Amino acid sequence: DESRRSLLMLIPALAPGVLMTPISSVLEACNAGHSNPEPLYRRWIRGVVPRCAREIIFGLGLNNLTDWAEERIPRDICEGKVMRNALGSMTAGVISGYFSHVPHNLSTMKLLQPDVSYKVHVGSLIAAAKDRVPATLSPAARDAAATFLALVVPKGLGIRTTQVVGSFVLLNGISHALSK
């Protein structure tokens, strides 16, 4: 049965992100004690759902998307394996950085302010994005533009994506060097 086989193939693709979630949750919770006074055994779970989404996106990008991108780089652009790996890592890092940014923000916001609902956190992202929307627009257009900016072109996207790109290039470069 092909559909069952396809579902089973998702397990090894998603597993690294799912397995990294508790580790990154504890690490982030250890750094959040200044804003969230809950005990660590409770604090680490705050924001776990969007954090899991972020980690799955990272895992897919690092382990699958990098190889996919590397294989598609034309030979006339770059022949060397090291440069192809770096370009594939950069491409995967940009895509993963983009798609993981809003989940990252939400997981951090929930960790730091656990009593605030996700709806309110998303609302605060939208409210902050209104500063980037011209006041001359109608209220409905302004709300729509702010929602678009908050969720599709969020603040901090370039910096966060640059961090992800750097991590991917480093990790895949080390992995590539060790595989020789």
Side-chain angles (χ1 to χ4, degrees):
D1 172 46
E2 187 64 30
S3 63
R4 181 183 163 121
R5 183 177 179 276
S6 295
L7 282 174
L8 288 174
M9 290 182 68
L10 278 176
I11 293 171
L14 301 178
V18 172
L19 293 172
M20 276 304 297
T21 299
I23 297 166
S24 68
S25 293
V26 170
L27 289 172
E28 290 177 30
C30 286
N31 288 321
H34 67 285
S35 291
N36 180 345
E38 295 178 310
L40 183 60
Y41 70 83
R42 193 175 307 138
R43 190 170 59 227
W44 79 275
I45 201 77
R46 305 301 186 189
V48 76
V49 172
R51 189 173 303 112
C52 185
R54 179 195 71 194
E55 294 299 333
I56 287 172
I57 293 166
F58 285 171
L60 288 171
L62 194 59
N63 298 319
N64 303 84
L65 190 55
T66 297
D67 293 339
W68 180 87
E70 185 179 338
E71 292 166 359
R72 281 154 183 77
I73 296 171
R75 296 273 175 210
D76 57 339
I77 289 178
C78 181
E79 287 185 31
K81 179 72 175 144
V82 172
M83 280 304 295
R84 293 175 67 75
N85 181 267
L87 290 173
S89 296
M90 288 180 198
T91 303
V94 167
I95 294 167
S96 297
Y98 177 79
F99 284 107
S100 69
H101 189 68
V102 171
H104 169 77
N105 285 345
L106 289 174
S107 75
T108 301
M109 292 169 87
K110 190 66 172 179
L111 174 63
L112 298 177
Q113 298 174 317
D115 295 332
V116 177
S117 71
Y118 283 112
K119 181 179 179 180
V120 172
H121 283 310
V122 170
S124 70
L125 291 174
I126 293 168
K130 276 191 179 175
D131 293 342
R132 299 188 286 153
V133 178
T136 56
L137 294 178
S138 71
R142 201 154 187 256
D143 288 344
T147 301
F148 176 83
L149 287 174
L151 301 177
V152 180
V153 192
K155 190 174 179 181
L157 179 64
I159 293 168
R160 180 93 183 121
T161 298
T162 302
Q163 291 172 330
V164 174
V165 167
S167 296
F168 279 26
V169 171
L170 255 170
L171 292 170
N172 283 320
I174 291 168
S175 176
H176 176 76
L178 293 174
S179 68
K180 287 186 178 189

